[in-house]
Amino acid sequence: MLKKFYKIIIVPYVLFLLYLMFFGMGRTQMEDNLLTIEPIFSTINFIKGCISWKDIIIIVVGNVVMFIPFGFLGWIFPKLRELKSLLFTFISAITIVEVTQYFTRMGIFEVDDIILNTFGVFLGFLIRNLVEKKCKDWV
């Protein structure tokens, strides 16, 4: 039952995320291409410079939580049931999205986004395994 629901909802979810990544939250095309390649330090500096916890939650936690559903892709694509192939495929895909943001100037290429998004996929993978063990009737 959960797998059927997941199969129905994942495509609209991907489209929604792509919209957010390129057009959502008031994005407009930037004057310059921006590139942030200092892993972790740019996120730490962002947190230090933030005035509100709301900004931190939306940006940092959102970059993890929004990508948890991709940890369940093994339900649709059997080759992605293994963590190594799931992470390799996801990192490749999210890097393409980040590069596209850079070249279209509709976002910033940030290594931290790749790291945080991948952590979200990893959490999703762990949750998927837990769901499969605990809820065999639902899956």
Side-chain angles (χ1 to χ4, degrees), residues 2 13 27 35 40 45 65 77 96 101 130 138:
L2 282 175
Y13 186 76
R27 285 186 197 253
L35 179 69
I40 309 303
N45 290 334
V65 172
F77 304 104
I96 290 168
Q101 282 184 321
L130 183 67
W138 284 78

Side-chain angles (χ1 to χ4, degrees), residues 13-41:
Y13 186 76
V14 169
L15 295 173
F16 171 71
L17 272 183
L18 288 171
Y19 170 79
L20 285 180
M21 294 172 83
F22 287 96
F23 307 108
M25 299 179 286
R27 285 186 197 253
T28 58
Q29 195 169 38
M30 298 178 182
E31 292 288 323
D32 297 320
N33 294 359
L34 298 175
L35 179 69
T36 305
I37 55 173
E38 288 183 324
I40 309 303
F41 294 110

